[in-house]
């Protein structure tokens, strides 16, 4: 199928303004922290819908948009998810994870208990769609992990920009989510993201971010 091309006029700014804009955006994003202590204060569905719309603006392989964002506020479903996640995590923390892994996680104070899965007003479960069924024919999507990873990053950015907090939770294995949420066989859980307001008092690990010299390498003759 051929697509038609339409004019597109990207918004541009003077260089000085771009620098300020990118500095401001960095300052905003550098304030994002993964939070494990949520308030149970409700968050309007309209807000979650908006965040999902933003995530879904992500680029994707052949524009297949191979993602589904399942937003759960139903308490019974959240309890089910918590119970299943804790069952897996108990096994993880009691033998399935290596000693080195447990050692690496120790500074973050995580354990098999996941109360946030019931406390946070919304759980957004991101699913990736490895293929689509068109007229009974199986059609693979492209660069699915890359596409869904980008969309998820944009979701986390949108959540932070809106003034809410999130947690990138990876109960493992995540197969139970497909079943609990009644997702089709072509969907695989990618990440579980509790979203909400922070609890009254939140503590986060005292960690820093790598400096530019460590994460950026320039091949630039002019500098
Ligand atoms: N999935 C487990 C363990 C865990 C693993 C990593 I890597 C983390 O950064 C955090 C937790 C859990 O959710 O507790």
């Amino acid at each position: 199928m051929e697509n038609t091309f339409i004019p597109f006029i990207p918004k541009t700014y003077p260089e000085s303004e771009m620098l300020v804009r990118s500095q401001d955006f960095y300052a905003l994003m550098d304030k994002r922290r993964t939070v494990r202590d949520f308030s149970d204060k409700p968050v309007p569905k309209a807000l979650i819908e908006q965040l999902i719309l933003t995530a879904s603006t992500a680029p994707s392989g052949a524009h297949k948009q191979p993602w589904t964002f399942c937003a759960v506020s139903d308490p019974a479903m959240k309890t089910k998810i918590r119970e299943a996640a804790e069952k897996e995590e108990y096994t993880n923390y009691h033998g399935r994870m290596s000693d080195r892994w447990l050692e690496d996680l120790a500074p973050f104070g995580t354990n098999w208990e996941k109360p946030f899965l019931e406390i946070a007003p919304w759980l957004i479960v991101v699913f990736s769609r490895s293929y689509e069924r068109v007229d009974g024919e199986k059609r693979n999507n492209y660069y699915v992990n890359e596409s869904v990873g980008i969309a998820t990053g944009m979701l986390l950015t949108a959540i932070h920009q809106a003034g809410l907090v999130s947690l990138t939770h990876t109960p493992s294995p995540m197969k139970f989510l497909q079943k609990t949420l009644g997702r089709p066989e072509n969907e695989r859980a990618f990440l579980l993201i509790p979203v909400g307001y922070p609890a009254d008092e939140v503590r986060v690990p005292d960690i820093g971010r790598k400096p530019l010299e460590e994460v950026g390498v320039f091949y630039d003759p002019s500098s």
Side-chain angles (χ1 to χ4, degrees), residues 101-119:
W101 194 349
L102 291 171
E103 209 175 285
D104 278 341
L105 276 184
F108 302 94
T110 61
N111 61 38
W112 64 271
E113 288 178 289
K114 306 297 175 193
F116 50 76
L117 292 175
E118 284 185 297
I119 297 170

Side-chain angles (χ1 to χ4, degrees), residues 36 89 93 97 101 105 110-111 114 169-170:
R36 292 191 153 75
E89 291 299 339
Y93 281 88
M97 284 151 81
W101 194 349
L105 276 184
T110 61
N111 61 38
K114 306 297 175 193
H169 180 41
T170 50

Side-chain angles (χ1 to χ4, degrees), residues 31-78:
K31 288 258 185 294
R32 187 203 57 79
R33 292 297 307 259
T34 287
V35 162
R36 292 191 153 75
D37 304 306
F38 288 82
S39 156
D40 61 2
K41 184 177 167 182
V43 168
K45 182 181 172 198
L47 186 40
I48 301 296
E49 287 175 340
Q50 210 54 51
L51 302 175
I52 291 173
L53 274 176
T54 296
S56 200
T57 65
S60 61
H63 193 51
K64 295 294 181 185
Q65 305 168 85
W67 45 66
T68 305
F69 299 91
C70 294
V72 182
S73 68
D74 175 39
M77 207 171 249
K78 287 198 289 182

